[in-house]
Amino acid sequence: MQSRAVVMVIAVMVSGLTTLALAGHGPWAGSTILTVFASHGLNQGDLLVLAAWLVSMACCVTLWRRLG
């Protein structure tokens, strides 16, 4: 498997896991910051998930550029 393909797989997997984490409604979610739908929105607990996703994507971009 090519190295760039591995980077793409990691990016897709992390994005998928982030989507699942944001879709959940745990008791630790915190208060709603932004309402998207009547029963869904961006909670305080989602900010850590989004921050981890951003760091992961920045790492993927860095690896992608180094492999180029």
Side-chain angles (χ1 to χ4, degrees), residues 6 14 20 31 33 35 39-40 57-58 65-66:
V6 172
V14 168
L20 290 174
S31 61
I33 298 171
T35 302
S39 62
H40 290 77
M57 291 301 107
R65 288 181 179 167
R66 286 185 184 181

Side-chain angles (χ1 to χ4, degrees), residues 7-24 49-50 52-54 56-57 60:
V7 174
M8 286 299 297
V9 169
I10 291 170
V12 168
M13 289 178 65
V14 168
S15 296
L17 290 171
T18 299
T19 302
L20 290 174
L22 292 177
V49 173
L50 289 174
W53 179 79
L54 286 172
S56 298
M57 291 301 107
C60 285

Side-chain angles (χ1 to χ4, degrees), residues 23-65:
H25 296 287
W28 57 87
S31 61
T32 302
I33 298 171
L34 175 69
T35 302
V36 180
F37 301 107
S39 62
H40 290 77
L42 183 67
N43 300 321
Q44 289 176 336
D46 295 338
L47 296 179
L48 181 59
V49 173
L50 289 174
W53 179 79
L54 286 172
V55 169
S56 298
M57 291 301 107
C59 291
C60 285
V61 168
T62 301
L63 284 172
W64 183 272
R65 288 181 179 167

